[in-house]
Amino acid sequence: MGIQIEQITLHQIRMPLVHFFETSFGRTTERHMVLVEVKAGGISGWGEVTAGENPFYNEEWTESAWLIVRDYAAPRVLNYRFENAEGVGARTAHIRGHNMARGGLEAAVWDLEARMLGLPLYRHIGGGARREIPCGVSIGIQDSVPQLLQKIETELAAGYKRIKMKIKPGWDVDVIRQVRQKFPDILLMADANSAYTLEDAPRLKCLDEFGLMMIEQPLAHDEIIDHAKLQAQLKTPICLDECIRSAHQAAQALEMDAGRIVNIKLGRVGGFAEAKRVHDVAQKAGVPVWCGGMLEAGIGRAHNIALATLPNFVLPGDVSASKRYWARDIIHPAVETTPQGTIAVRDEPGFGYDLDLDFIKSIAVRRETVS
Ligand code: OSB
Ligand code: MG
């Protein structure tokens, strides 16, 4: 078929979270995200850049994403004759880092191509291994332990299958012990977002007694070797997030036994093509994956759902209902979960939900067309 993008429009929107979200690197109360709209033959495809508001999770943030897409990625993609969306990532791979900016654009082209073919995005990427996505939730650091216990209670009552709690030095062993006392049998895991170093190994070893499913990214965001050294000392499986930015890094990390589970985030690896390669590397190594989240609005959330239909996404991920984040989402209907804690996959073309363009317009703080 071939695909040639005729116009790329960036929309920056502002959305307050219904509840603040705190990790070891900081608290977020309001999201500022960049949406990427690509057009060809009168059809629009949409992507969402998953960068945060500050360069604390990785090197990217809203402002850098805007500039990278506008000045570096979009000009390389615009009016270029692609055989298919698979080739878009390679066309911007000369950009060092900034995978989320690159990935927002790449995902938009996949969505556009799916729409041109009249296919749901999940089919177009080769997914469809399941009709329902098993969902977990990621619960941030709270102001108090009772508040955390209350949140866990609420999420379990909503049907969520797995609880992830954020940890950092000072909010770890004692807090997890209290969670385990109250909820001895739940699927529980912890995410440190790189808050520890190998010197903390004795402290992290204390977590082995709590039967966690995994501990996510305990060590530095760009560190693989130390994770291998730590994994050798822990019973709890390590799940890698920040430090897996490509299929090549995934292959190296798994070969070293730096982790036994991989969190795949579409943006972090630069889009669907690379996400699928990471998925395949892990599958070949016998390592399960799950779909991470970056507090996405509806477009990113819908893309994550499509991704999580690939066969090796066998563990509940961090993709959950829109209402946990937003009073009103930018898509219609909002993403909802079943009482069993799953999201039903939709069969409409593209990412499967309608865009609320009027609402997007009303929360946009800037818009720019590259053509
Ligand atoms: O490490 O998975 C993470 C949110 C922002 C930045 C990093 C992470 C997260 C989450 C939230 O854990 C996942 C979500 O609910 O979208
Ligand atoms: Mg994480």
Side-chain angles (χ1 to χ4, degrees):
M1 177 178 75
I3 189 163
Q4 193 164 340
I5 306 300
E6 293 148 18
Q7 194 182 77
I8 299 175
T9 303
L10 307 188
H11 308 251
Q12 186 177 320
I13 57 172
R14 186 185 147 256
M15 294 175 81
L17 286 163
V18 297
H19 187 271
F20 69 80
F21 188 80
E22 186 171 324
T23 67
S24 62
F25 58 77
R27 183 178 283 201
T28 306
T29 54
E30 183 176 276
R31 297 285 342 270
H32 294 251
M33 55 276 260
V34 177
L35 308 179
V36 185
E37 178 184 10
V38 296
K39 265 193 186 162
I43 302 180
S44 285
W46 289 79
E48 179 177 326
V49 177
T50 61
E53 288 61 50
N54 296 290
F56 300 160
Y57 167 81
N58 63 6
E59 81 283 3
E60 302 187 76
W61 77 104
T62 315
E63 194 70 28
S64 72
W66 181 274
L67 296 176
I68 290 286
V69 180
R70 187 190 69 183
D71 297 344
Y72 292 95
R76 290 278 293 179
V77 168
L78 203 57
N79 297 320
Y80 184 84
R81 183 102 202 126
F82 290 100
E83 218 166 283
N84 50 49
E86 193 86 49
V88 174
R91 187 77 189 144
T92 64
H94 65 297
I95 300 168
R96 298 266 165 95
H98 300 282
N99 284 354
M100 291 171 165
R102 296 176 52 231
L105 174 58
E106 198 252 20
V109 181
W110 278 96
D111 177 52
L112 173 62
E113 191 173 53
R115 287 170 196 269
M116 292 170 87
L117 294 165
L119 285 175
L121 180 59
Y122 79 85
R123 288 239 170 268
H124 188 43
I125 64 165
R130 57 193 65 80
R131 298 293 314 162
E132 289 181 24
I133 305 305
C135 306
V137 289
S138 174
I139 302 182
I141 294 163
Q142 304 297 316
D143 288 332
S144 69
V145 174
Q147 214 172 355
L148 173 65
L149 297 175
Q150 180 54 55
K151 286 224 139 202
I152 294 174
E153 184 103 57
T154 305
E155 304 297 7
L156 292 171
Y160 288 106
K161 294 174 181 295
R162 178 225 70 184
I163 300 292
K164 159 168 143 184
M165 53 182 285
K166 294 290 191 176
I167 57 168
K168 65 175 182 182
W171 182 272
D172 49 24
V173 180
D174 293 340
V175 180
I176 296 179
R177 179 172 294 114
Q178 292 176 71
V179 170
R180 258 305 179 224
Q181 260 159 18
K182 179 132 191 235
F183 306 101
D185 302 321
I186 61 169
L187 295 180
L188 182 66
M189 61 172 287
D191 185 359
N193 287 106
S194 302
Y196 300 90
T197 70
L198 203 49
E199 284 176 20
D200 298 310
R203 182 154 195 88
L204 294 168
K205 264 197 262 194
C206 295
L207 299 178
D208 275 343
E209 70 171 285
F210 301 119
L212 301 178
M213 288 176 87
M214 66 194 93
I215 173 168
E216 186 176 344
Q217 195 72 31
L219 308 181
H221 70 99
D222 53 357
E223 178 60 62
I224 289 175
I225 295 170
D226 281 357
H227 277 109
K229 291 182 182 163
L230 179 64
Q231 181 67 87
Q233 302 179 53
L234 294 185
K235 274 194 283 177
T236 309
I238 291 175
C239 170
L240 297 174
D241 175 354
E242 280 89 329
C243 68
I244 304 300
R245 299 163 59 112
S246 67
H248 180 64
Q249 283 172 336
Q252 290 185 320
L254 298 183
E255 189 182 315
M256 296 183 65
D257 194 26
R260 296 178 182 163
I261 298 172
V262 179
N263 165 341
I264 299 184
K265 289 180 181 167
L266 195 52
R268 196 194 65 224
V269 302
F272 278 108
E274 194 67 15
K276 290 201 298 170
R277 286 190 281 269
V278 175
H279 165 275
D280 294 351
V281 160
Q283 190 170 34
K284 281 207 190 76
V287 166
V289 305
W290 53 275
C291 187
M294 291 295 296
L295 313 176
E296 287 91 345
I299 298 170
R301 202 161 290 280
H303 285 185
N304 287 341
I305 294 166
L307 184 65
T309 71
L310 292 172
N312 195 34
F313 281 84
V314 291
L315 297 172
D318 277 350
V319 184
S320 58
S322 300
K323 68 173 182 202
R324 295 189 60 251
Y325 308 82
W326 318 118
R328 178 175 171 185
D329 205 341
I330 60 172
I331 54 168
H332 190 80
V335 173
E336 285 173 359
T337 50
T338 66
Q340 293 71 247
T342 66
I343 295 170
V345 178
R346 291 164 62 89
D347 274 307
E348 284 76 0
F351 63 69
Y353 294 78
D354 289 331
L355 269 180
D356 190 341
L357 290 170
D358 290 336
F359 183 51
I360 290 175
K361 212 169 179 182
S362 75
I363 57 173
V365 296
R366 58 175 162 170
R367 183 179 310 106
E368 193 168 334
T369 294
V370 188
S371 55

